[in-house]
Amino acid sequence: MFWKFDLHTTSHIDTLLEKEDVTLTEVMDEDDVLQECKAQNHKLVDFLLRPQCMEDLVTYITQEPSPDVEEKVKYKYPNISCELLTSDVSQINDRLGEDEKLLMKLYGFLQNEPPLNPLLASFFSKVLSILIGRKPEQIVDFLRKREDFVDLMIKHIGTSAIMDLLLRMLTCIEPQQLRQDVLNWLNEEKVIQRLVDMVQPSQDEDRHSNASQSLCEIIRLSRDQMFQVQGCSEPDPLLSTLEKQETVEQLLSNIFDKDKNESAIVSVIQILLTLFETRRPAFEGHMECPPGMNHPSFSVNHSILEAVRPRLKDFHQLLLEPPKKNVMKTTWGVLDPPVGNTRLNVVRLVASLLQSNTHSINTELINLNTLGVILDMYFKYIWNNFLHIQVEICTAMILAMPPAPTEIQPDTEQERARESILIKHLFQKCQFIQRIVDAWSSNEKEQAEGGRRRGYMGHLTRIANSIVHNCDKGPNGPQIQQLISELPTEDREKWDAFISGQLADTNKRNTVDLMQQMTSNFIEQFGFNDEEFADQDDVVDIPFDRISDINFSLNTNESANIALFEARCKEKIQQFEDAGSDEEDIWDEKDVTFAPEAQRRPSSGSTDSEESTDSEEEDVKRDPFEGSNPSADDRMEVDTGQWAWDSTGILRQDCDGWLGTGVTPPPSSTSSKDCGESKAEDETACCEQRSITETVINGSMKETVSLTVDAKTETAVFKRFAKHLYIHNTPQHSSTLCITPRHSTTLHDILRHSKTFDNTPQYSTTLHDAL
């Protein structure tokens, strides 16, 4: 059908390519050139594969545009050229990957002097990356023949696109054996050592950052590859070189034996942190246990720790004398000096070293009192949460870690060796308990004077809770208890009062009181009360006397439309009167009962008389806050028990077979709540009845239904279009709906779109569902 009328569109490129003198720029000016290329338009692909076109495409992405070109279109053709070359068309990949002349032209971009044009560098990297993925053997063979390739890559490592290209060579080359050959080749070219040389003060920040990121990614990629390729017999040569002690020593020498440079220091610490990573269990918040304790992890290479240990004193000195920073003005005061990126990363390094739980490292940190300096920073910089979380990590690990194994452990000192020297140092030398209590008291005093709550108080709460938890249940519990008992009497009493008073109160506010407040706000916002969240068995004893408190009135206007309404009612009734006598009597004795719990409403105000939709009716039937009861069906139930008409014209349930016999039932057989009320009881109850009205809607008409509520007998009688609508509440809070046969259809039509009227504040009855 579509082709019959020749409605398919023809690309303008096809028409353009029929010209003999068409140029590459004319083709690239077409809006749909990229779409047609990816769709492998044969004419277009053949045109692009021409030697001159391929050469021009490569030229566009490797040479600077003419300065005379308008700026807004300066990189139009280089961008389109890059997209065409990377459209993943096999013919283009083959031509570019197998033509050494084109590859040399492409490779020539690396031979430019730094800095490279970052946009052109991204085009170059993208094209070469797709060639590495699609033609790995040819590209690797070509690059290995270029003796200056690694030198040029390191030379331009400050350009992010070149760093990405280097990482692409480590991840996108398949098969595995070819990848292993590339790793061996790069290792022979000393790519790791050259990257390490880039991280020193004499280089600029871009080289620091990109060289550090490259080394970090090499570590992660190599370790991930070890897990993915279980059968690999050869180790990763680049990772092995990085983990050598001399490589780590060279990194540390670059930052400590020369001028202090924050960029270089931070970059080296980032590399060390990656070497210390334990399969990334990422402890970035409060956890039950320190990171790596319950997770499979890489064991930290001992040679790395040995290279770092002699330099711990230099890292400690950085905490005391960081690189010079300018005074920082903040909204709450002046920081002189601020924490700075250097000290923050040193604290992160200490946390990673503590995680290794090495006895020699722990001993050196104790001798230097590094933990004491870190705690001083914690209480000094009260608003630096980046620092606070790292200090919390340090203390949590010290409290939860088992004692570090020692190389020599004589039998006579075996018990003493099982004690954690870090915990002992923390409680005795650093006066951990006293500082927590003093800081808490100082904060409360400032707050009482109108000051702000200090920024570290949340972390201090979790640190205090960690002490209490590990004292009771941690592996170092006995030692912590012993150290607390050895505190001076005054300090011990303060601590006991603190954990039983201020800390307990804070925990209560943060848990129980907070949840109660959230629940209260929820109830207040949505209008629910506590009884509606309780189990239904807990609220069944709510007295039904409160039905007498209902007082609502919905006024209506009996308009001229009543004549139309009556005619419609007669038409409905006539349909039933014309039915054959053999058909089932629709007025046969039937009882409709339903549980009001399934229909209750959040509040007991006047009902909404607007027309409801099917979805609203469904919502009424399925109250999301209804208590579950697996033994009872919460939907409308139909009782097919015995029914009879009494002398008042009301249909009542005949529970004991007395109705319709003309015989007055005995008192023991008549239940005022289960089987209805006698005529005499109804007349006596009239004095306590209250009349109210409700507006109901049938289409566009509004009608009034008169409702009489009897507080004594717990009955409600509707009058207007039905002579009686008798609703009786049983002791189980179900309701029986009784209707007269003549007016039932009229009442159904009246209430067909009505919603709900409340017979108690807790229970509501949907008349539409009942009918």
Side-chain angles (χ1 to χ4, degrees):
M1 185 79 179
F2 196 73
W3 297 271
K4 178 179 179 181
F5 299 100
D6 196 24
L7 297 177
H8 63 282
T9 59
T10 302
S11 172
H12 186 258
I13 288 182
D14 291 340
T15 306
L16 181 64
L17 292 174
E18 292 177 357
K19 294 171 53 178
E20 293 183 0
D21 56 346
V22 63
T23 63
L24 179 61
T25 55
E26 289 178 326
V27 173
M28 288 195 292
D29 285 335
E30 292 296 319
D31 294 336
D32 58 348
V33 61
L34 296 179
Q35 179 181 349
E36 291 295 320
C37 182
K38 293 180 180 179
Q40 300 193 18
N41 183 309
H42 295 299
K43 290 185 179 180
L44 177 60
V45 172
D46 291 341
F47 175 80
L48 295 176
L49 290 176
R50 295 176 183 179
Q52 187 59 47
C53 289
M54 290 295 295
E55 185 175 345
D56 290 344
L57 289 173
V58 174
T59 301
Y60 275 124
I61 66 173
T62 56
Q63 291 185 4
E64 289 281 351
S66 172
D68 300 333
V69 179
E70 189 178 357
E71 188 66 29
K72 65 180 181 180
V73 295
K74 191 174 185 179
Y75 292 99
K76 172 184 175 181
Y77 295 127
N79 180 51
I80 297 176
S81 298
C82 176
E83 294 299 322
L84 290 172
L85 291 174
T86 59
S87 58
D88 207 13
V89 177
S90 58
Q91 298 95 316
I92 297 179
N93 292 337
D94 293 341
R95 176 63 59 85
L96 189 57
E98 296 171 0
D99 191 329
E100 187 165 344
K101 181 181 178 180
L102 291 175
L103 288 177
M104 282 300 300
K105 191 174 187 65
L106 186 65
Y107 181 80
F109 178 75
L110 283 176
Q111 296 174 333
N112 294 325
E113 288 298 318
L116 298 176
N117 183 310
L119 188 57
L120 294 181
S122 67
F123 295 154
F124 165 80
S125 177
K126 187 175 182 180
V127 172
L128 198 56
S129 293
I130 197 170
L131 290 177
I132 290 174
R134 295 293 181 264
K135 315 288 288 183
E137 292 85 358
Q138 293 92 327
I139 300 303
V140 169
D141 183 64
F142 171 80
L143 294 177
R144 293 188 67 170
K145 292 178 181 179
R146 314 275 84 78
E147 295 181 357
D148 59 346
F149 173 70
V150 176
D151 292 335
L152 292 175
M153 293 288 287
I154 300 300
K155 181 180 180 180
H156 296 299
I157 198 66
T159 304
S160 297
I162 303 303
M163 177 195 70
D164 294 338
L165 177 61
L166 176 61
L167 297 178
R168 178 78 60 167
M169 294 186 64
L170 303 178
T171 57
C172 295
I173 294 182
E174 295 292 341
Q176 176 61 29
Q177 185 56 49
L178 180 60
R179 179 180 181 275
Q180 189 67 35
D181 292 342
V182 171
L183 294 178
N184 291 331
W185 165 52
L186 292 176
N187 190 54
E188 291 171 0
E189 293 291 332
K190 299 186 181 302
V191 67
I192 297 298
Q193 292 86 337
R194 295 182 182 186
L195 287 173
V196 168
D197 288 339
M198 290 291 104
V199 190
Q200 53 180 320
S202 61
Q203 301 292 341
D204 57 52
E205 291 188 10
D206 288 338
R207 284 189 171 86
H208 292 163
S209 177
N210 288 345
S212 172
Q213 186 174 345
S214 298
L215 291 171
C216 291
E217 289 300 319
I218 290 173
I219 296 170
R220 295 189 180 103
L221 292 171
S222 299
R223 288 177 173 175
D224 290 343
Q225 190 71 13
M226 289 171 57
F227 280 90
Q228 294 173 5
V229 186
Q230 298 292 339
C232 182
S233 57
E234 298 184 56
D236 190 306
L238 298 182
L239 179 61
S240 300
T241 301
L242 257 171
E243 291 180 336
K244 287 183 178 179
Q245 183 171 343
E246 53 265 31
T247 304
V248 180
E249 289 175 347
Q250 181 61 44
L251 275 171
L252 297 173
S253 176
N254 288 345
I255 60 174
F256 288 129
D257 294 345
K258 301 173 182 178
D259 295 337
K260 291 180 181 179
N261 182 285
E262 182 171 81
S263 174
I265 293 172
V266 170
S267 297
V268 169
I269 293 177
Q270 292 295 326
I271 299 171
L272 294 177
L273 290 174
T274 307
L275 287 171
F276 291 144
E277 279 182 0
T278 57
R279 203 171 184 184
R280 295 180 230 176
F283 185 62
E284 292 300 335
H286 184 67
M287 296 174 59
E288 292 297 328
C289 63
M293 299 302 294
N294 293 329
H295 303 278
S297 62
F298 295 104
S299 58
V300 179
N301 195 307
H302 184 70
S303 61
I304 302 173
L305 296 173
E306 285 301 309
V308 172
R309 185 176 60 82
R311 292 290 187 172
L312 286 178
K313 62 180 185 300
D314 297 312
F315 284 113
H316 179 83
Q317 193 62 29
L318 284 176
L319 294 175
L320 301 175
E321 298 178 5
K324 184 65 177 176
K325 300 286 290 186
N326 295 328
V327 174
M328 181 180 294
K329 295 181 179 180
T330 67
T331 55
W332 70 273
V334 177
L335 295 177
D336 186 18
V339 175
N341 204 13
T342 296
R343 291 200 286 182
L344 181 60
N345 278 275
V346 171
V347 176
R348 294 181 61 195
L349 179 63
V350 172
S352 291
L353 289 170
L354 289 173
Q355 183 180 340
S356 69
N357 200 20
T358 305
H359 181 72
S360 59
I361 298 293
N362 295 346
T363 303
E364 189 68 19
L365 292 174
I366 290 172
N367 293 337
L368 293 170
N369 192 30
T370 303
L371 297 178
V373 174
I374 291 175
L375 284 177
D376 291 340
M377 293 173 58
Y378 178 92
F379 292 110
K380 177 180 179 180
Y381 297 97
I382 62 177
W383 299 110
N384 195 316
N385 290 146
F386 296 105
L387 172 65
H388 301 157
I389 184 61
Q390 296 302 323
V391 176
E392 182 189 341
I393 291 172
C394 292
T395 58
M397 282 190 296
I398 291 173
L399 294 171
M401 285 190 311
T406 57
E407 297 179 1
I408 301 176
Q409 194 175 83
D411 295 338
T412 56
E413 299 182 357
Q414 185 173 2
E415 292 299 324
R416 179 177 298 179
R418 294 306 301 164
E419 293 185 352
S420 171
I421 58 175
L422 288 172
I423 293 179
K424 183 177 181 180
H425 173 73
L426 196 63
F427 279 76
Q428 293 182 346
K429 177 69 174 179
C430 300
Q431 295 186 326
F432 195 36
I433 295 293
Q434 294 91 326
R435 299 195 71 170
I436 291 175
V437 175
D438 292 344
W440 198 287
S441 300
S442 178
N443 173 76
E444 288 188 337
K445 182 180 179 181
E446 287 186 10
Q447 283 191 276
E449 296 172 353
R452 292 183 179 180
R453 185 173 184 262
R454 294 178 179 177
Y456 57 63
M457 290 304 296
H459 295 284
L460 195 65
T461 300
R462 299 201 294 188
I463 290 173
N465 284 328
S466 179
I467 296 175
V468 175
H469 172 77
N470 284 282
C471 182
D472 296 336
K473 302 178 181 179
N476 302 303
Q479 182 184 5
I480 296 175
Q481 294 173 10
Q482 178 66 27
L483 290 170
I484 293 177
S485 66
E486 294 174 357
L487 292 174
T489 303
E490 183 181 357
D491 293 337
R492 188 172 63 253
E493 290 176 351
K494 286 183 179 180
W495 172 253
D496 292 338
F498 165 71
I499 61 176
S500 61
Q502 296 138 302
L503 182 61
D505 293 341
T506 300
N507 290 333
K508 183 181 178 182
R509 285 196 304 270
N510 292 343
T511 54
V512 179
D513 289 354
L514 181 60
M515 291 302 297
Q516 290 178 349
Q517 183 62 36
M518 291 172 62
T519 304
S520 176
N521 291 341
F522 180 82
I523 293 173
E524 181 179 351
Q525 179 179 358
F526 293 99
F528 301 114
N529 54 52
D530 293 338
E531 294 169 348
E532 291 175 304
F533 287 96
D535 223 10
Q536 293 305 307
D537 293 339
D538 299 334
V539 297
V540 294
D541 58 343
I542 296 175
F544 261 70
D545 309 322
R546 285 185 288 182
I547 190 173
S548 61
D549 297 332
I550 301 176
N551 185 13
F552 62 86
S553 177
L554 299 176
N555 298 324
T556 61
N557 181 20
E558 296 190 9
S559 64
N561 291 329
I562 191 171
L564 179 62
F565 177 77
E566 291 288 356
R568 181 60 176 165
C569 291
K570 291 178 180 179
E571 181 183 5
K572 288 284 186 180
I573 296 174
Q574 186 64 31
Q575 294 176 3
F576 294 109
E577 292 177 350
D578 295 340
S581 59
D582 295 337
E583 296 180 1
E584 180 185 359
D585 186 1
I586 63 171
W587 305 115
D588 197 9
E589 302 168 352
K590 293 182 180 179
D591 176 18
V592 182
T593 63
F594 53 97
E597 292 88 352
Q599 309 295 343
R600 70 181 187 274
R601 282 286 183 258
S603 61
S604 58
S606 61
T607 60
D608 184 2
S609 62
E610 295 180 1
E611 179 174 344
S612 64
T613 63
D614 293 340
S615 61
E616 290 174 333
E617 293 170 4
E618 184 67 16
D619 291 339
V620 171
K621 295 178 183 178
R622 297 186 181 180
D623 192 333
F625 295 98
E626 176 184 342
S628 59
N629 187 357
S631 63
D633 192 349
D634 59 357
R635 298 171 296 179
M636 180 180 69
E637 299 177 356
V638 178
D639 184 2
T640 59
Q642 297 298 320
W643 288 79
W645 297 96
D646 68 1
S647 58
T648 64
I650 297 178
L651 183 65
R652 302 181 184 275
Q653 188 175 16
D654 189 359
C655 299
D656 301 305
W658 292 97
L659 290 178
T661 63
V663 181
T664 302
S668 60
S669 299
T670 304
S671 172
S672 62
K673 292 184 181 245
D674 295 333
C675 301
E677 302 294 340
S678 66
K679 179 179 179 181
E681 291 173 339
D682 290 337
E683 293 175 352
T684 303
C686 288
C687 62
E688 298 187 16
Q689 294 178 345
R690 177 178 303 175
S691 295
I692 52 179
T693 58
E694 180 184 14
T695 297
V696 296
I697 295 179
N698 181 32
S700 62
M701 295 182 293
K702 293 184 178 180
E703 297 298 334
T704 302
V705 177
S706 176
L707 172 65
T708 301
V709 180
D710 190 332
K712 181 177 181 180
T713 61
E714 301 177 354
T715 62
V717 179
F718 275 93
K719 296 179 182 179
R720 171 63 180 133
F721 297 103
K723 289 199 184 230
H724 294 87
L725 176 63
Y726 178 78
I727 299 178
H728 177 67
N729 293 294
T730 66
Q732 289 76 24
H733 305 304
S734 63
S735 298
T736 302
L737 180 65
C738 304
I739 57 178
T740 60
R742 175 171 177 78
H743 301 284
S744 60
T745 303
T746 304
L747 181 63
H748 179 274
D749 285 350
I750 292 173
L751 301 178
R752 184 157 55 93
H753 296 292
S754 67
K755 290 202 175 178
T756 303
F757 86 92
D758 295 338
N759 54 2
T760 72
Q762 284 76 31
Y763 300 95
S764 60
T765 304
T766 302
L767 298 177
H768 172 265
D769 290 342
L771 292 171

